[in-house]
Amino acid sequence: MGIQPRESQVIAGSQTLIKKVELVRFMIEALNSLDYKETAMCLERESGIHLHSQRVKLFMEQIIKGEWDESLSTLPSIESIDEKSVESASAAILQHKLSKACIEKNFAEVSNTLKNQIAPLCKNDKHLMARYLLNRSHSKESLGEIMPNLRNILSRQMIPERRLANLVDRALLDEKYTHIPSKTLQILKGHFDEVWFVQFSHNGKYLASSSRDYRVVIWEVNEATHEVSLMRVLRGHSKAVSYMSWSPDDTQLLTCGQNERVRRWNILSGELLREYFIWGTGTFSCTWTPKGDCVLAGLADHTIIVWSLEGKEMHRLEEPHVSSWTSDLAIKSNGVIITAFDLDSILLFGHEKRKLLEVEDGEVLTFCLSEDGDFLLVSLLNEEIQLWNIGLEQPVIVKTFEGHKRQKFIVRTCFGGKGQGFVASGSEDTQVYVWDRASGEIIRKLEGHSRTVTCVSWNPTNPSMLASASDDGTIRIWG
């Protein structure tokens, strides 16, 4: 029979980075912090592992009671403590003791602490006493502030508060950032002019791109290798194609342009199924109803038209007193239409027409609806991107994203990544910008394009895949 390892040496993790004793202590501290006291005590009894040793418990009790001199005596006797930790913890305790005495105007205690306790510590450091005296009037640490400080200094003897929760937070954050695209995997060259729009299908199997060259290209994503290859080219437009929308089942695609009619395609066969247009006006945007049984288009005359798939006009929504075109279109799952009709506002068309939100100090260029339909990413003329929570009774801005460049052209944004936890945007400085959706911080600047990045699209089923379109005529796949 082999020799059994000591309990303190038993490995708990697969990477030999954490021992069983450490993990159990982390769990006990986590249970206590969540107020599961009885469960924590049960774990201590069953494992025979205690959160703190008897000497550490005594030390903590002395600190809590304000028994500073007693805690200084107990400190060196704590198991496995090194000289440097004793010095750092002693300094923290004496600083706190000195501050308390100053606040209470106990000058005898101040004199005794400086002369008999702090001075001996400072005999080898002429500047240390000056720092004590300089800081004593400014340090007003409460017990709740000194205890975390001591836990950090004595981290081997005292488990820091919420240690397990913080480790899990860090691990989840590392995992979240692991999937963020960071390099060019492929450069797709299927167009002969500026590429203005790019969009993945809902199932992530296809990518559509449209260009100033009148062409729409369908690309196929290999599910095994994740490589993107040209599937077919859709020809039929006679002007630039600047907007597209996938059908709910991803078998069809709507395409349109500023001076073009809406076209509906079967992407599997490449067949043009139907054209939708109103004489004398161009289209700026197009989309589908949630069931895919109707087609919508935003026209240049401030009108939204709803057609049946066969081309019969079903509804006409007008806003004649605005000063801008009908911008992007989106439809929530309940059938409510979202559009930007005017320069500074976004409207809802449902059972009744109403203003959803109004921006200040900016003009709406484009917007993007989140997958759950509760958030709207609004790009403004002033280079600001606003994230609105529209799932509330009164929509509010929850975050703003800044840093990308936009002066002359329209550049589009998107949600993406794991849980749509990130925001990406094109930019006139040839880079793709990626922000953390929660913090608003820029976490990536993807370099590679040589001209303005006009549009970005994140693969909805592959959080590591991002596509960008550019005026340099290429599409880049990032991973």
Side-chain angles (χ1 to χ4, degrees):
M1 183 175 179
I3 298 173
Q4 297 296 313
R6 292 165 49 196
E7 186 77 7
S8 62
Q9 299 301 315
V10 176
I11 301 300
S14 61
Q15 303 299 315
T16 71
L17 296 178
I18 186 167
K19 296 181 176 64
K20 176 182 175 181
V21 170
E22 293 175 324
L23 181 58
V24 172
R25 291 176 70 200
F26 289 166
M27 293 167 66
I28 293 169
E29 190 283 325
L31 289 168
N32 278 317
S33 69
L34 295 170
D35 210 27
Y36 296 136
K37 308 291 186 185
E38 292 185 11
T39 305
M41 291 172 60
C42 181
L43 179 55
E44 283 189 314
R45 285 195 302 270
E46 185 175 351
S47 66
I49 299 170
H50 299 283
L51 178 60
H52 296 123
S53 69
Q54 292 302 316
R55 300 304 294 174
V56 170
K57 285 181 180 178
L58 175 61
F59 175 72
M60 293 172 68
E61 288 172 3
Q62 291 167 339
I63 292 294
I64 290 171
K65 292 177 182 179
E67 297 173 349
W68 313 118
D69 294 338
E70 291 82 351
S71 69
L72 289 169
S73 298
T74 302
L75 184 60
S77 65
I78 291 175
E79 298 86 345
S80 304
I81 195 167
D82 57 76
E83 186 177 345
K84 184 177 180 181
S85 296
V86 171
E87 290 179 359
S88 298
S90 298
I93 294 169
L94 289 172
Q95 180 68 67
H96 190 76
K97 179 185 178 183
L98 182 64
S99 297
K100 296 287 284 187
C102 288
I103 292 169
E104 295 168 1
K105 297 183 178 179
N106 186 344
F107 299 116
E109 183 75 0
V110 170
S111 176
N112 178 64
T113 301
L114 285 170
K115 180 179 179 181
N116 298 319
Q117 293 179 299
I118 293 178
L121 290 177
C122 301
K123 61 184 178 181
N124 295 323
D125 189 341
K126 297 179 180 179
H127 302 290
L128 188 57
M129 177 66 81
R131 288 201 296 271
Y132 270 108
L133 295 173
L134 183 64
N135 292 334
R136 67 179 175 80
S137 61
H138 301 290
S139 177
K140 297 182 180 179
E141 274 189 336
S142 67
L143 182 62
E145 291 170 323
I146 190 176
M147 189 62 84
N149 188 19
L150 290 172
R151 285 181 185 274
N152 288 331
I153 294 171
L154 309 177
S155 58
R156 290 181 58 193
Q157 293 77 24
M158 301 171 65
I159 300 296
E161 290 180 334
R162 293 180 51 79
R163 177 62 171 161
L164 183 58
N166 290 334
L167 287 173
V168 172
D169 276 346
R170 188 181 303 169
L172 291 174
L173 193 61
D174 289 344
E175 181 186 7
K176 175 182 175 184
Y177 281 4
T178 298
H179 295 290
I180 303 173
S182 59
K183 60 182 179 181
T184 299
L185 299 182
Q186 286 182 262
I187 301 176
L188 308 180
K189 299 179 179 180
H191 293 283
F192 305 112
D193 208 330
E194 299 171 356
V195 186
W196 287 356
F197 203 94
V198 65
Q199 189 175 71
F200 279 105
S201 58
H202 304 97
N203 59 18
K205 295 180 180 180
Y206 306 106
L207 176 69
S209 60
S210 65
S211 168
R212 189 179 177 184
D213 66 5
Y214 315 163
R215 293 152 53 100
V216 175
V217 178
I218 306 298
W219 309 84
E220 187 171 17
V221 181
N222 186 298
E223 294 185 63
T225 65
H226 305 298
E227 289 188 1
V228 181
S229 58
L230 192 148
M231 178 178 169
R232 63 174 34 86
V233 178
L234 305 179
R235 296 180 176 88
H237 284 281
S238 57
K239 294 183 176 64
V241 184
S242 58
Y243 203 94
M244 298 179 294
S245 178
W246 286 94
S247 64
D249 65 1
D250 291 327
T251 63
Q252 298 180 45
L253 184 73
L254 292 179
T255 59
C256 68
Q258 190 167 340
N259 296 300
E260 270 283 11
R261 56 190 63 182
V262 178
R263 286 174 169 83
R264 177 166 63 92
W265 309 82
N266 181 316
I267 64 112
L268 300 177
S269 66
E271 180 187 0
L272 176 60
L273 299 175
R274 181 74 59 178
E275 293 184 355
Y276 308 87
F277 62 97
I278 299 294
W279 288 108
T281 183
T283 53
F284 278 91
S285 51
C286 54
T287 192
W288 303 76
T289 51
K291 293 182 180 180
D293 54 355
C294 287
V295 169
L296 291 84
L299 307 185
D301 64 353
H302 320 307
T303 302
I304 295 176
I305 299 293
V306 183
W307 287 287
S308 68
L309 293 183
E310 291 72 32
K312 179 182 178 182
E313 185 176 319
M314 308 293 290
H315 301 288
R316 183 185 292 252
L317 309 172
E318 298 179 297
E319 188 70 13
H321 304 298
V322 299
S323 55
S324 183
W325 57 80
T326 306
S327 180
D328 293 354
L329 282 174
I331 300 186
K332 292 168 70 71
S333 58
N334 60 4
V336 173
I337 302 169
I338 304 174
T339 186
F341 255 131
D342 210 348
L343 292 175
D344 62 354
S345 60
I346 292 177
L347 304 183
L348 283 183
F349 283 95
H351 299 298
E352 60 179 359
K353 181 181 72 176
R354 69 179 179 87
K355 185 173 290 187
L356 173 63
L357 58 92
E358 188 168 0
V359 301
E360 296 181 3
D361 303 322
E363 297 179 6
V364 176
L365 289 178
T366 68
F367 65 81
C368 175
L369 183 66
S370 65
E371 199 172 60
D372 58 16
D374 288 336
F375 293 88
L376 205 63
L377 200 58
V378 183
S379 295
L380 304 180
L381 188 66
N382 63 6
E383 295 185 306
E384 184 176 271
I385 301 170
Q386 297 180 350
L387 177 63
W388 287 77
N389 185 339
I390 61 172
L392 305 174
E393 185 174 341
Q394 183 62 43
V396 296
I397 299 177
V398 294
K399 195 65 64 179
T400 58
F401 307 95
E402 298 178 336
H404 73 301
K405 308 302 178 186
R406 197 226 64 80
Q407 292 294 323
K408 297 187 293 183
F409 307 115
I410 289 179
V411 294
R412 297 187 178 277
T413 60
C414 71
F415 293 99
K418 191 171 183 179
Q420 291 206 320
F422 302 95
V423 167
S425 175
S427 177
E428 290 182 10
D429 63 3
T430 76
Q431 300 183 96
V432 176
Y433 283 72
V434 180
W435 294 265
D436 184 291
R437 177 173 166 179
S439 68
E441 295 181 1
I442 296 174
I443 53 175
R444 288 281 192 281
K445 292 182 184 179
L446 305 178
E447 299 181 358
H449 285 293
S450 59
R451 294 182 61 189
T452 296
V453 180
T454 53
C455 187
V456 289
S457 180
W458 217 305
N459 191 314
T461 60
N462 183 350
S464 299
M465 181 179 285
L466 175 69
S468 60
S470 171
D471 283 349
D472 65 15
T474 68
I475 298 148
R476 284 184 177 249
I477 303 299
W478 307 86

